């Protein structure tokens, strides 16, 4: 992966340069670093700054909440913002979702969802394994890594992760069902991005997952951390995919969210529960309660920002905006498929993957040792364009790809700028590799 493995900070003597450039301000879809360099943000920070930078309304929501009440102990109290946010989020989701567990990030939300799925079991024997899909990424915490199938992220910690459960092929319903027979749940990215390059599941995929989970008496956890909050149009990507006739009615049991919930202005994530899961957790009056509390889960300031995010997205008709501009973004990016290094461009809404190849006329990937995607990302950054590099989309290890996901307030004239910047860099990298 292209991102540093950790955000280490230190004070060092002398004039040693920092590990990474320091950003100092942002406006709309651009950010500036301490040296005055401007960048067109083609990935919304890290797919979270949905409404762009310099949002006075979001800053004001945080400030006003801090003036009133910055904190309420979550194991004892709700705050007014957390209670209101949960209610408004559930209203936006609609049935069958009736409860929310709030966290500070998507990775923490994955952990909470895994705990909830385990606790929701009521019939022995109690299962402890969680099934996952090939190439799907679920976060940086230990439990989130345990159910991740992106080798580059798992490799440094493989010995401590162990075998949490089977890795399944989503196209094989029998394999799905058999693999779930001893699993408490299946966790899956609705659109796998980091490890699969925004691979859109074919029609019928969600219905297949729903049938397999029902047949094995397992829960379906939909990971919408990256794809949520209108990244593909609707509030969550699964809602768009079930509009296909083959997937109609295939709703997940738990929805994990993060990133865009706070739009970069607050650390906010959580798990949305269907009513049947909420009842099993004792979040309805009839059974023992599910114990899960974190100090900053449902933080009052974060939830105040989250409320304003939901309101702004409705007021600014973000879903309709993404739908209407999706075609323009596709039109800007698809000509890249004529480049010798590009195998495929794919995506939905404001989330697109650019799959790289070693040569025209073949799907063969580059050797991973060349780190081609990382080269492209670094060179784009030098030219003032932020993209995201990934690997493993071909066979789990090889297969370089880029992700593009600009803020949802980006204008159509930004899309050719993104595509042109990528094309220039691909030309340069092609010349380097050829020589």
């Amino acid at each position: 992966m292209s991102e540093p493995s950790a955000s280490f900070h230190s004070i060092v003597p002398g004039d040693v340069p920092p590990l990474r450039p320091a950003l100092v301000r942002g406006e709309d879809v651009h950010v500036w670093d301490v040296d005055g360099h401007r960048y067109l943000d083609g990935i919304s920070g890290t797919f979270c700054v949905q409404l762009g930078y310099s949002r006075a309304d979001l800053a004001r929501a945080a400030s006003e909440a801090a003036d009133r009440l910055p904190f309420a102990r979550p194991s004892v109290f709700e705050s007014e913002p957390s209670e209101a946010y949960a209610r408004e989020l559930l209203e936006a989701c609609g049935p069958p979702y009736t409860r929310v567990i709030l966290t500070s990030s998507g990775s923490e939300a994955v952990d909470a969802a895994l705990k909830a799925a385990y606790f929701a079991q009521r019939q022995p024997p109690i299962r402890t394994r969680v099934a996952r899909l090939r190439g799907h990424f679920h976060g940086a915490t230990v439990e989130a890594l345990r159910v991740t199938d992106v080798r580059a992220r798992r490799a440094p910690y493989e010995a401590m992760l162990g075998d949490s459960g089977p890795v399944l092929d989503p196209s094989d319903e029998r394999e799905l069902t058999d693999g779930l027979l001893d699993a408490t749940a299946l966790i899956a990215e609705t659109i796998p991005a980091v490890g699969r390059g925004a691979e859109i599941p074919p029609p019928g995929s969600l219905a297949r997952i729903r049938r397999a989970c029902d047949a094995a008496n397992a829960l379906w956890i939909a990971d919408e951390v990256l794809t949520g909050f209108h990244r593909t149009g609707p509030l969550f990507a699964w809602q768009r995919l079930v509009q296909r006739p083959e997937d109609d009615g295939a709703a997940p049991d738990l929805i994990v969210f993060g990133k865009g919930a706070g739009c970069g202005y607050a650390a906010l994530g959580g798990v949305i529960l269907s009513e049947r899961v909420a009842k099993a957790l004792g979040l309805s009056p009839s059974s023992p309660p599910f114990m899960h509390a974190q100090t900053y889960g449902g933080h009052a300031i974060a939830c105040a920002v989250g409320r304003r995010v939901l309101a702004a997205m409705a007021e600014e008709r973000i879903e309709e905006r993404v739908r209407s501009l999706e075609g323009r973004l596709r039109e800007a990016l698809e000509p890249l498929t004529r480049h010798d290094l590009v195998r495929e461009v794919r995506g939905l809404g404001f989330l697109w993957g650019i799959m790289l190849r070693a040569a025209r006329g073949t799907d063969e990937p580059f050797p991973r040792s060349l780190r081609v995607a990382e080269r492209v990302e670094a060179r784009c950054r030098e030219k003032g364009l932020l993209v995201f590099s990934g690997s493993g989309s071909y066979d789990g290890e090889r297969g370089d790809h880029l992700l593009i996901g600009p803020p949802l307030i980006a204008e159509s004239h930004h899309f050719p700028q993104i595509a042109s910047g990528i094309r220039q860099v691909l030309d340069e990298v092609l010349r380097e590799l050829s020589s």
Side-chain angles (χ1 to χ4, degrees):
M1 299 306 301
S2 62
E3 291 188 319
S5 58
S7 297
F8 295 122
H9 299 274
S10 61
I11 299 175
V12 293
D15 297 323
V16 178
L19 293 175
R20 298 178 294 280
L23 297 180
V24 294
R25 74 180 181 94
E27 183 177 339
D28 296 329
V29 299
H30 293 92
V31 291
W32 284 259
D33 68 20
V34 68
D35 296 318
H37 300 133
R38 188 180 80 158
Y39 305 87
L40 173 56
D41 187 355
I43 50 172
S44 306
T46 312
F47 307 100
C48 61
V49 187
Q50 315 290 67
L51 296 177
Y53 299 89
S54 63
R55 292 286 307 211
D57 56 337
L58 300 184
R60 185 166 54 251
S63 176
E64 291 174 354
D67 283 343
R68 288 192 303 272
L69 177 73
F71 181 79
R73 181 184 172 192
S75 61
V76 177
F77 297 104
E78 291 287 348
S79 66
E80 286 185 337
S82 66
E83 192 172 53
Y85 179 66
R87 181 177 64 252
E88 291 163 11
L89 180 60
L90 289 168
E91 289 172 355
C93 290
Y97 303 102
T98 61
R99 297 291 188 277
V100 181
I101 301 168
L102 295 172
T103 68
S104 301
S105 73
S107 295
E108 293 171 5
V110 168
D111 285 15
L114 297 177
K115 287 172 65 177
Y118 171 78
F119 192 89
Q121 298 175 89
R122 284 291 177 261
Q123 299 296 325
I126 299 299
R127 308 172 185 180
T128 60
R129 288 155 62 82
V130 176
R132 59 192 190 270
L133 299 184
R134 293 190 178 97
H136 287 223
F137 175 72
H138 298 295
T141 59
V142 171
E143 286 304 312
L145 271 179
R146 203 184 304 276
V147 294
T148 283
D149 189 56
V150 177
R151 288 183 204 166
R153 295 297 181 99
R154 288 180 60 98
Y157 311 100
E158 195 68 55
M160 71 178 292
L161 297 178
D163 177 22
S164 65
V167 181
L168 304 177
D169 179 354
S171 67
D172 187 329
E173 187 166 341
R174 176 162 186 167
E175 178 180 320
L176 278 174
T177 303
D178 292 347
L180 286 168
L181 289 175
D182 68 344
T184 181
L186 169 70
I187 186 167
E189 289 182 272
T190 305
I191 298 175
V194 170
R196 301 288 297 180
E199 181 180 55
I200 307 303
S205 296
L206 271 61
R208 190 180 304 121
I209 288 174
R210 182 70 273 168
R211 289 193 301 269
C213 287
D214 290 343
N217 194 28
L219 296 175
W220 169 17
I221 304 170
D223 184 339
E224 293 269 3
V225 172
L226 192 149
T227 50
F229 291 84
H230 301 294
R231 174 62 54 191
T232 68
L235 186 63
F236 295 111
W238 75 267
Q239 294 169 316
R240 176 160 185 184
L241 297 183
V242 297
Q243 293 170 5
R244 307 178 299 193
E246 300 91 338
D247 292 300
D248 184 37
D253 299 296
L254 304 92
I255 303 168
V256 177
F257 68 91
K259 290 191 181 292
C263 279
Y265 281 76
L268 181 60
V271 187
I272 301 166
L273 310 174
S274 65
E275 175 62 9
R276 78 181 182 109
V277 176
K279 285 182 177 179
L281 297 183
L283 300 180
S284 293
S286 58
S287 57
F290 170 63
M291 300 295 293
H292 181 84
Q294 294 175 269
T295 300
Y296 285 96
H299 190 258
I301 298 173
C303 288
V305 172
R307 293 186 69 195
R308 181 56 205 155
V309 166
L310 289 174
M313 287 177 164
E315 292 164 7
E316 297 169 29
R317 301 172 65 88
I318 293 297
E319 177 174 354
E320 293 88 340
R321 190 175 199 285
V322 169
R323 294 268 201 164
S324 67
L325 290 176
E326 174 186 299
R328 302 292 290 275
L329 183 50
R330 180 192 294 112
E331 289 170 5
L333 295 175
E334 279 189 340
L336 292 172
T337 58
R338 296 194 288 270
H339 197 280
D340 287 351
L341 297 187
V342 176
R343 173 167 60 89
E344 182 183 5
V345 172
R346 61 196 187 194
L348 282 178
F350 275 38
L351 175 62
W352 291 80
I354 300 170
M355 320 306 293
L356 303 182
R357 62 185 175 190
R360 177 178 290 280
T362 178
D363 288 345
E364 189 67 18
F366 288 101
R368 187 80 281 271
S369 59
L370 293 177
R371 297 174 64 83
V372 171
E374 290 89 339
R375 288 194 200 192
V376 174
E377 178 185 335
R379 189 67 61 82
C380 283
R381 188 164 58 246
E382 291 171 4
K383 294 181 179 297
L385 172 64
L386 304 182
V387 301
F388 188 97
S389 62
S391 63
S393 48
Y394 184 80
D395 60 9
E397 181 177 353
R398 298 177 303 157
D400 294 272
H401 59 264
L402 307 175
L403 291 177
I404 304 299
L408 309 186
I409 52 95
E411 300 291 348
S412 57
H413 67 267
H414 295 124
F415 305 154
Q417 295 175 30
I418 293 171
S420 175
I422 293 171
R423 176 176 288 281
Q424 291 176 33
V425 169
L426 290 174
D427 288 342
E428 293 177 7
V429 170
L430 178 60
R431 286 195 294 269
E432 290 175 5
L433 294 171
S434 299
S435 64

